[in-house]
Amino acid sequence: MTAIISQDDFLVFREYFYRKTGIRFESSKRYFVDKRLIDRITANDCASFREYFTRLRFQANGEELQRLTNLLTVNETYFMREEYQFDCLTSHILPELSEHLPTDKIINIWCIPSSSGEEPYSIAMQLLENWPMLRNRDVRLLASDINTRMLDMAEEGLYSERSIRNVPPTWRARYFSRVGDMYQICDELRACVEFSHVNLANPVEVRRQHAIDVVFCRNLLIYFDDLSRKEAAESLYDVMSPGGFICLGHSESMGRISPLFTVRKFPEAIVYQKPWEES
């Protein structure tokens, strides 16, 4: 017998998932959420939503919540997405940081969410191809996501033709090899990125990072409400170095989220900066 998710069940679960992840599902997403809940209720041999929800909340190791989170988080991405920000990174952001930071300071770049790895690997290619100072500067490229299935895919580094469609042909030849109808990213790029599991709505997990100089947090906060966006922005601010930059998605504006950052307008992109000196 197929479990039924009532309106009250949906609202109870929506509030619980929001507290855990910062993501709030609108009523228009009801079918999407219900289908995945029913799949997990069936997989756990539970007779009802209530039985499953009790197990979900009180499971000590949190494995079921992680499985459900993997099903409910959106991961649409591809290589060189909104690449004008990558151009801004190598043309303006990194040169400015290099001018102000000690020469022995490692520049930390953090992508959250990393999804299946297309964004951090795009940044790695951009640095190798378009930032000559990489020969003289140490850069650490970090990437995190709440979805462990996406992290596994990112570390494997195997992509479809559609995913790499915007990669320049010369880059494709240099950094990818054909494996059947897929493309395997080279070991050099895979070694450039450190992947980790981080829930942006959990300040304790965010604080595992520190001295971050550039954050790419693109097209994630649109799934948060005003409060969780503000809290996420504050968490990111706390782990960023003075003078650090944050890049959001094209439809997102830090000005509507938090007053902590200064707007910086470069020819390629609008980004946001943590002040060099905190008041």
Side-chain angles (χ1 to χ4, degrees), residues 2-14:
T2 302
I4 297 174
I5 310 298
S6 70
Q7 175 67 7
D8 285 345
D9 293 339
F10 172 75
L11 295 176
V12 166
F13 173 76
R14 181 174 72 172

Side-chain angles (χ1 to χ4, degrees), residues 178-228:
R178 190 75 179 259
V179 180
D181 59 353
M182 302 290 282
Y183 292 83
Q184 176 71 63
I185 204 156
C186 69
D187 291 343
E188 178 188 13
L189 280 193
R190 291 169 69 190
C192 286
V193 185
E194 301 174 34
F195 290 98
S196 64
H197 177 269
V198 175
N199 177 358
L200 185 55
N202 185 332
V204 174
E205 293 188 10
V206 176
R207 283 196 294 270
R208 294 174 189 163
Q209 312 299 332
H210 58 89
I212 303 298
D213 300 291
V214 184
V215 175
F216 281 83
C217 183
R218 308 194 301 178
N219 306 306
L220 170 61
L221 299 181
I222 55 175
Y223 299 103
F224 288 19
D225 67 0
D226 289 345
L227 177 60
S228 53

Side-chain angles (χ1 to χ4, degrees), residues 84-149:
Y84 55 86
Q85 288 188 341
F86 304 148
D87 293 335
C88 185
L89 176 69
T90 51
S91 296
H92 297 281
I93 293 174
L94 290 177
E96 180 173 319
L97 289 172
S98 296
E99 183 179 341
H100 286 84
L101 297 175
T103 55
D104 61 348
K105 201 283 187 184
I106 296 174
I107 295 177
N108 293 305
I109 302 174
W110 186 25
C111 296
I112 180 170
S114 66
S115 189
S116 44
E118 287 90 336
E119 179 172 280
Y121 289 137
S122 293
I123 293 172
M125 289 189 289
Q126 176 75 13
L127 295 178
L128 289 165
E129 296 289 333
N130 292 320
W131 197 47
M133 287 188 68
L134 190 61
R135 292 189 291 269
N136 310 109
R137 272 283 184 182
D138 287 331
V139 174
R140 188 179 181 208
L141 188 49
L142 309 165
S144 305
D145 205 279
I146 194 174
N147 189 319
T148 55
R149 185 171 62 89

